[in-house]
Amino acid sequence: MTKERIVVICPGRGTYTRESSGYLNSSSKASSDEIKWMDEQRIVNKLSSLTQLDFEPFKTKIHMSAINASPLIFACSLADYLSIDRNKYEVVAITGNSMGWYTSLALGQAINLKNAYQLINSMSSILKSQVGGQIIYPIVDKSWKIDELKREKVLHKVKEAGAFISIYLGGYLVIAGKQESLDLLLKELPPIDEYPLQLPLHSAFHSPLLSEVRDKAFSLVHKSIFGKPQIPLIDGRGYVWSPFSSNISELYHYTLDHQVTEAYDFTAAIKVAIKEFCPDKLVLLGPGNTLGGSIAQILIQNNWLNIDSKKAFIERQNKIPYLISMGLNIQRNMISL
């Protein structure tokens, strides 16, 4: 039987929400040896296990704090990845958004799962004290096409406020900055539905404000845990790290330097995923489905498979889904064991 070729997409911070509470325990792979090991590490360090956290009623200050949210998301994504039916699907590349890059490194075997967990914990521990923040704002019209005039106006306001573009997220811009800069933008950006929206308990990820985090990361994380990936990885610039030609030192420095202090271009990563690897499907790991709209908007930007509007995307998904979101039970069952 010919396998379908898929690109796997790993979500980042902010995807474990009240709506996705209980996600890990609902997974058939929640009891895997890897998840059990992470639970044991948490207990040794006098922290609630991930399965216990996932079981408890959702509380923003607890479940969205860096020390809990990041490993929870990693565990959920890992459980989803382990449940993909490899008799039917071949993973040809892996990418992710923001923290999802660390998950990608693990799933692509550039670092082993135990070291990936420690890497995520190290980055979370450095961020115990929040540094600045992030807001998200849409730059698309009702058909999910980029409004270039709106985009330029927002970029101008961001620069004037002394803030930074943190993530290029399809039809959204994630903006990082000191709180006074974000407060100015929250007042000046024209309201669109619930936007501009400040992301709770988020630091100014992917901006120069995290230079101290970068420096501490180099002192905590050693290059020796990195190796060449076994599956191609697409980073936050759209650069492909190949199993055959990756420079391990460069991968280490990208992960702890550029990936921390420069803008993360998720839009570029997905563009490269579809154009360089031409997968039969894109598979978005859980928890949740918050990246689904952004991925659709990137497909629209590239007129991929003649998807040129929100309507065209929905019609395609209703017939033969190209984007499989494991956070949606109906789609999850299409790809899981």
Side-chain angles (χ1 to χ4, degrees), residues 43 58 88 106 150 155 160 182 201 207-208 214 258:
I43 292 168
F58 182 87
K88 296 180 179 178
K150 182 187 294 183
L155 290 175
E160 278 192 331
L182 299 185
L201 302 179
S207 81
R214 171 199 60 203
H258 188 289

Side-chain angles (χ1 to χ4, degrees), residues 140-175:
V140 286
D141 59 23
K142 291 182 179 180
S143 65
W144 279 4
K145 295 180 180 179
I146 297 291
D147 184 329
E148 291 295 344
L149 181 59
K150 182 187 294 183
R151 180 179 182 275
E152 291 305 315
K153 286 182 177 178
V154 174
L155 290 175
H156 180 70
K157 285 186 177 293
V158 169
K159 186 176 181 179
E160 278 192 331
F164 308 90
I165 298 301
S166 173
I167 307 174
Y168 294 95
L169 195 64
Y172 298 88
L173 292 174
V174 179
I175 302 160

Side-chain angles (χ1 to χ4, degrees), residues 14 24 29 45 63 82 99 105-106 117 181 195 208 213 218 231 237 245 254 256 266 274 314 336:
L24 179 60
K29 299 296 181 180
N45 288 289
H63 289 83
L82 294 174
M99 191 215 95
L105 289 169
Y117 173 81
S181 297
Y195 303 101
V213 170
F218 276 119
I231 299 171
R237 303 166 297 180
S245 60
Y254 165 76
L256 298 187
F266 181 69
I274 58 178
I314 293 172
S336 295

Side-chain angles (χ1 to χ4, degrees), residues 190-216:
I192 302 174
D193 299 324
E194 71 268 35
Y195 303 101
L197 175 68
Q198 179 145 10
L199 301 173
L201 302 179
H202 279 224
S203 290
F205 303 120
H206 315 298
S207 81
L209 295 181
L210 263 64
S211 59
E212 288 188 13
V213 170
R214 171 199 60 203
D215 297 341
K216 289 179 182 177

Side-chain angles (χ1 to χ4, degrees), residues 272-318:
V272 168
I274 58 178
K275 293 192 174 184
E276 292 295 321
F277 293 92
C278 296
D280 297 303
K281 287 181 172 61
L282 299 176
V283 176
L284 173 61
L285 305 178
N289 181 43
T290 55
L291 281 180
S294 295
I295 296 168
Q297 291 155 0
I298 299 166
L299 298 177
I300 291 166
Q301 288 176 37
N302 291 278
N303 196 23
W304 194 249
L305 302 176
N306 296 317
I307 298 171
D308 61 358
S309 65
K310 181 179 181 179
K311 179 183 177 185
F313 173 74
I314 293 172
E315 288 175 351
R316 167 74 193 218
Q317 289 295 103
N318 287 337

Side-chain angles (χ1 to χ4, degrees), residues 33 68 79 81 91 127 172-173 175 241 258 287 292 299 305 328:
D33 289 342
N68 292 328
Y81 186 76
V91 180
L127 283 165
Y172 298 88
L173 292 174
I175 302 160
W241 297 90
H258 188 289
L299 298 177
L305 302 176
L328 302 175

